Amino acid sequence: MGDHRNLINITDLSAAEIDHLIEIADDIIADPVKYQDMCAHKKLATLFFEPSTRTRLSFTAAMMELGGNVLGFDQASSSSTSKGESVADTIVMASCYADIIAMRHPKEGAPFVGAQYASVPVINAGDGGHFHPTQTLTDLMTIHRKKGSLGGYTIGMCGDLKFGRTVHSLINALLRYDDIKYVMISPEELELPDYIKDTLDEAGVEWKEVRSLDEAIPELDILYMTRVQRERFFNEEDYIRLKDSFILRREMLDPAKEDLAILHPLPRVNEIAKDVDDDPRACYFYQALMGKYIRMALILYLLGLK
Amino acid sequence: MNIDGVNTGYVIDHIKAGTGLEIYNFLKLDKADCTVAIIQRVESTKYGYKDIIKIDGDIPIDCNTLGYMDENITVNRIKDRKLLEKIHLELPEVLTNVIRCRNPRCITSVEEGIEHRFRLADRETRKYRCVYCDTLHTDFQ
Ligand SMILES: [Zn+2]
């Protein structure tokens, strides 16, 4: 319906469009006042069919900083969806009230369904274990700000590489940029799936797998941490045996580069020890801030205001 | 090919032996208002044995979905006792409302009134990908 753009999968955006969004976000950071009324009288609907406090706060903050308003709901239980209203009906209704929609849903493909019925742009704010494109934009924006470029570094990805959608999506996005070396850090049980390894091979990039963080840390420019969940293991012994190799503690950073950037999509549980937070190389809260700016840029772009 | 008994209609040839009735049911030929014959276990030079369906009536045939069920089928269109067109079926690029996604986390498992749509991902291995959740499906038959 309509000729508006949506963001369902990160690959919906070309590399040039991602560059453009990052440019807008840089400009917002440089001159926020210029943008503070750009979305005046515009409304963002946050339709969260499952709760995600961080993502919803980020979208809300982004719209408010653009001078716009936010309406919506959180959790299926507080909306009519628990009474069985379809995604299609909810989206058609929300299209009547809002100028743009951010939608999160536990079922995979739900925002794609939503976009087919919406008469305004739809942003996928996470659909189960499937896609979460604004997280990937956030990661790219953070890398750009910390490294000055989206290519030309060694990135380590650590933790659950098997089920971690943020890692898969980030890899797919990074493959568009040159001169990136990948170090995959995980237990054997949580290795990258074969189809992603195939993708890396086909792209002809340099990559390797290692079994501990200590082994990888000295050569990294970026370390992307993810959670290793207890329920991913068959038994408690395996979990206890392996988890320490994939938890980042302060002393492990001694051999790391001075300008290492440590990223994490948040929320973390215990995979990054508290004492790492004060290290200047910890960038995960900075990353959350970048998430707001890149969402501001995305809203402006999809509304045709930038 | 023998088109005896078909004035204007179809001869559906090279059906895998033993599946003629399945194809008959899929095409809802029991509801067709014309003469239909299923011929089973015909000796074929190409496939050993095959089934054939003859339809003497110009009814619509969904070749797209038929190609999904058996891509080796040939559909011969007959007009005035002459072969008008020979259609070699193939796996369709898009499948709509033929199969359902088996991923329990897929939106199609709960949302009513939407099309169950798949795109051909790999012709060799007959893999289809759900357009909603991207799950690969193989071996439907
Ligand atoms: Zn599906």
Side-chain angles (χ1 to χ4, degrees), chain A residues 44-58:
Chain A
L44 165 74
T46 55
L47 310 183
F48 276 50
F49 294 81
E50 80 175 348
S52 172
T53 310
R54 279 164 197 79
T55 307
R56 198 169 55 94
L57 282 179
S58 182

Side-chain angles (χ1 to χ4, degrees), chain A residues 228-244:
Chain A
V228 172
Q229 287 166 287
R230 190 178 298 250
E231 55 269 30
R232 299 292 190 214
F233 288 88
F234 295 113
N235 58 60
E236 188 73 12
E237 293 102 84
D238 279 354
Y239 174 70
I240 290 168
R241 176 171 56 84
L242 289 165
K243 75 170 170 50
D244 281 352

Side-chain angles (χ1 to χ4, degrees), chain B residues 8-138:
Chain B
T8 291
Y10 304 87
V11 176
I12 303 177
D13 200 2
H14 302 300
I15 298 169
K16 187 172 174 235
T19 64
L21 193 62
E22 212 179 292
I23 302 293
Y24 175 92
N25 287 331
F26 166 74
L27 293 172
K28 295 192 170 65
L29 294 175
D30 55 325
K31 307 272 191 319
D33 190 18
C34 56
T35 308
V36 178
I38 307 183
I39 307 157
Q40 291 184 317
R41 283 187 71 80
V42 179
E43 243 189 298
S44 155
T45 45
K46 213 164 149 193
Y47 299 106
Y49 289 97
K50 63 180 183 182
D51 290 356
I52 298 174
I53 296 175
K54 293 187 178 185
I55 304 165
D56 191 18
D58 197 10
I59 59 171
I61 299 279
D62 178 1
C63 287
N64 209 37
T65 312
L66 203 54
Y68 170 71
M69 297 188 68
D70 183 350
E71 71 260 42
N72 295 314
I73 286 177
T74 313
V75 176
N76 301 285
R77 282 185 63 204
I78 314 293
K79 191 159 196 267
D80 300 327
R81 296 185 169 275
K82 287 201 180 66
L83 181 65
L84 189 70
E85 188 184 4
K86 201 176 187 74
I87 307 163
H88 294 283
L89 298 188
E90 54 181 28
L91 282 180
E93 286 294 330
V94 178
L95 271 184
T96 304
N97 292 334
V98 180
I99 50 171
R100 292 183 69 115
C101 185
R102 285 179 298 193
N103 171 11
R105 298 177 308 278
C106 180
I107 183 65
T108 58
S109 67
V110 290
E111 179 87 356
E112 283 173 24
I114 55 171
E115 288 183 336
H116 296 262
R117 206 156 69 237
F118 291 79
R119 234 177 273 286
L120 184 61
D122 186 6
R123 197 170 284 281
E124 286 287 291
T125 53
R126 301 177 55 89
K127 277 188 184 137
Y128 279 86
R129 195 184 288 284
C130 173
V131 301
Y132 299 94
C133 72
D134 294 290
T135 299
L136 275 176
H137 291 246
T138 28

Side-chain angles (χ1 to χ4, degrees), chain A residues 276-293:
Chain A
V276 177
D277 294 1
D278 301 328
D279 192 289
R281 291 166 286 195
C283 299
Y284 27 95
F285 293 112
Y286 177 80
Q287 190 180 358
L289 179 65
M290 292 306 108
K292 179 186 71 180
Y293 290 124

Side-chain angles (χ1 to χ4, degrees), chain A residues 200-219:
Chain A
L200 287 166
D201 287 335
E202 281 159 27
V205 298
E206 197 180 335
W207 71 280
K208 65 176 177 184
E209 285 181 304
V210 300
R211 295 281 175 244
S212 83
L213 253 176
D214 286 320
E215 191 186 335
I217 276 180
E219 64 176 308

